Short mmCIF file of all heavy atoms in Angstrom, two decimals:
data_model
loop_
_atom_site.label_atom_id
_atom_site.label_comp_id
_atom_site.label_asym_id
_atom_site.label_seq_id
_atom_site.Cartn_x
_atom_site.Cartn_y
_atom_site.Cartn_z
N ARG M 703 16.65 -19.90 -20.58
CA ARG M 703 17.15 -18.77 -21.50
C ARG M 703 17.14 -17.45 -20.73
O ARG M 703 18.08 -16.63 -20.93
CB ARG M 703 16.38 -18.73 -22.77
CG ARG M 703 16.83 -19.74 -23.77
CD ARG M 703 16.34 -19.41 -25.11
NE ARG M 703 16.79 -20.51 -25.97
CZ ARG M 703 18.03 -20.64 -26.61
NH1 ARG M 703 18.85 -19.65 -26.35
NH2 ARG M 703 18.33 -21.59 -27.33
N GLU M 704 16.11 -17.20 -19.97
CA GLU M 704 15.93 -15.86 -19.31
C GLU M 704 17.07 -15.68 -18.28
O GLU M 704 17.43 -14.56 -17.91
CB GLU M 704 14.62 -15.76 -18.65
CG GLU M 704 13.42 -15.71 -19.67
CD GLU M 704 12.11 -15.64 -18.99
OE1 GLU M 704 12.01 -15.50 -17.73
OE2 GLU M 704 11.10 -15.72 -19.67
N MET M 705 17.59 -16.74 -17.72
CA MET M 705 18.57 -16.71 -16.69
C MET M 705 20.02 -16.94 -17.18
O MET M 705 20.93 -16.82 -16.36
CB MET M 705 18.28 -17.72 -15.58
CG MET M 705 16.90 -17.46 -14.83
SD MET M 705 16.96 -16.00 -13.94
CE MET M 705 18.30 -16.23 -12.77
N ALA M 706 20.19 -17.30 -18.42
CA ALA M 706 21.47 -17.86 -18.89
C ALA M 706 22.61 -16.84 -18.77
O ALA M 706 23.65 -17.25 -18.28
CB ALA M 706 21.34 -18.22 -20.42
N GLU M 707 22.43 -15.61 -19.03
CA GLU M 707 23.48 -14.66 -18.94
C GLU M 707 23.83 -14.35 -17.44
O GLU M 707 25.00 -14.26 -17.06
CB GLU M 707 23.25 -13.33 -19.62
CG GLU M 707 23.17 -13.52 -21.11
CD GLU M 707 24.51 -13.99 -21.72
OE1 GLU M 707 25.60 -13.59 -21.24
OE2 GLU M 707 24.50 -14.82 -22.63
N THR M 708 22.81 -14.36 -16.57
CA THR M 708 23.05 -14.16 -15.18
C THR M 708 23.74 -15.44 -14.61
O THR M 708 24.75 -15.26 -13.82
CB THR M 708 21.67 -14.04 -14.39
OG1 THR M 708 21.03 -12.89 -14.95
CG2 THR M 708 21.81 -13.86 -12.94
N TRP M 709 23.37 -16.56 -15.04
CA TRP M 709 24.07 -17.82 -14.56
C TRP M 709 25.50 -17.85 -15.03
O TRP M 709 26.36 -18.18 -14.22
CB TRP M 709 23.29 -19.05 -15.09
CG TRP M 709 23.87 -20.35 -14.78
CD1 TRP M 709 23.74 -21.09 -13.62
CD2 TRP M 709 24.88 -21.06 -15.51
NE1 TRP M 709 24.48 -22.21 -13.64
CE2 TRP M 709 25.16 -22.24 -14.78
CE3 TRP M 709 25.48 -20.89 -16.76
CZ2 TRP M 709 26.03 -23.20 -15.34
CZ3 TRP M 709 26.36 -21.78 -17.25
CH2 TRP M 709 26.66 -22.96 -16.55
N LEU M 710 25.77 -17.53 -16.28
CA LEU M 710 27.08 -17.51 -16.82
C LEU M 710 27.98 -16.54 -16.07
O LEU M 710 29.11 -16.81 -15.61
CB LEU M 710 27.08 -17.19 -18.34
CG LEU M 710 28.36 -17.53 -19.08
CD1 LEU M 710 28.82 -18.85 -18.87
CD2 LEU M 710 28.08 -17.16 -20.57
N SER M 711 27.47 -15.31 -15.74
CA SER M 711 28.25 -14.40 -15.04
C SER M 711 28.54 -14.86 -13.60
O SER M 711 29.71 -14.77 -13.10
CB SER M 711 27.55 -13.09 -14.94
OG SER M 711 27.42 -12.36 -16.17
N TRP M 712 27.55 -15.48 -12.98
CA TRP M 712 27.73 -15.97 -11.61
C TRP M 712 28.83 -17.12 -11.66
O TRP M 712 29.61 -17.18 -10.76
CB TRP M 712 26.43 -16.50 -11.10
CG TRP M 712 26.48 -17.16 -9.77
CD1 TRP M 712 26.62 -16.53 -8.50
CD2 TRP M 712 26.48 -18.50 -9.45
NE1 TRP M 712 26.65 -17.43 -7.52
CE2 TRP M 712 26.58 -18.69 -8.09
CE3 TRP M 712 26.38 -19.65 -10.18
CZ2 TRP M 712 26.60 -19.94 -7.39
CZ3 TRP M 712 26.45 -20.96 -9.63
CH2 TRP M 712 26.54 -21.08 -8.20
N MET M 713 28.67 -17.99 -12.70
CA MET M 713 29.68 -19.03 -12.77
C MET M 713 31.12 -18.49 -12.89
O MET M 713 32.04 -18.93 -12.12
CB MET M 713 29.40 -19.94 -14.01
CG MET M 713 28.18 -20.87 -13.90
SD MET M 713 28.47 -22.14 -12.60
CE MET M 713 29.55 -23.19 -13.50
N GLU M 714 31.34 -17.55 -13.77
CA GLU M 714 32.62 -17.06 -13.96
C GLU M 714 33.17 -16.13 -12.84
O GLU M 714 34.38 -16.21 -12.58
CB GLU M 714 32.65 -16.11 -15.29
CG GLU M 714 32.48 -17.05 -16.53
CD GLU M 714 32.40 -16.25 -17.79
OE1 GLU M 714 31.48 -15.30 -17.94
OE2 GLU M 714 33.30 -16.48 -18.67
N GLU M 715 32.23 -15.41 -12.20
CA GLU M 715 32.72 -14.51 -11.12
C GLU M 715 32.79 -15.15 -9.75
O GLU M 715 33.57 -14.75 -8.95
CB GLU M 715 31.84 -13.29 -11.16
CG GLU M 715 31.89 -12.47 -12.39
CD GLU M 715 30.74 -11.40 -12.48
OE1 GLU M 715 30.07 -11.14 -11.45
OE2 GLU M 715 30.61 -10.86 -13.61
#
Side-chain angles (χ1 to χ4, degrees):
R703 281 195 182 277
E704 294 177 6
M705 295 297 298
E707 291 303 320
T708 301
W709 177 86
L710 193 55
S711 293
W712 178 78
M713 287 293 288
E714 292 179 301
E715 296 168 13

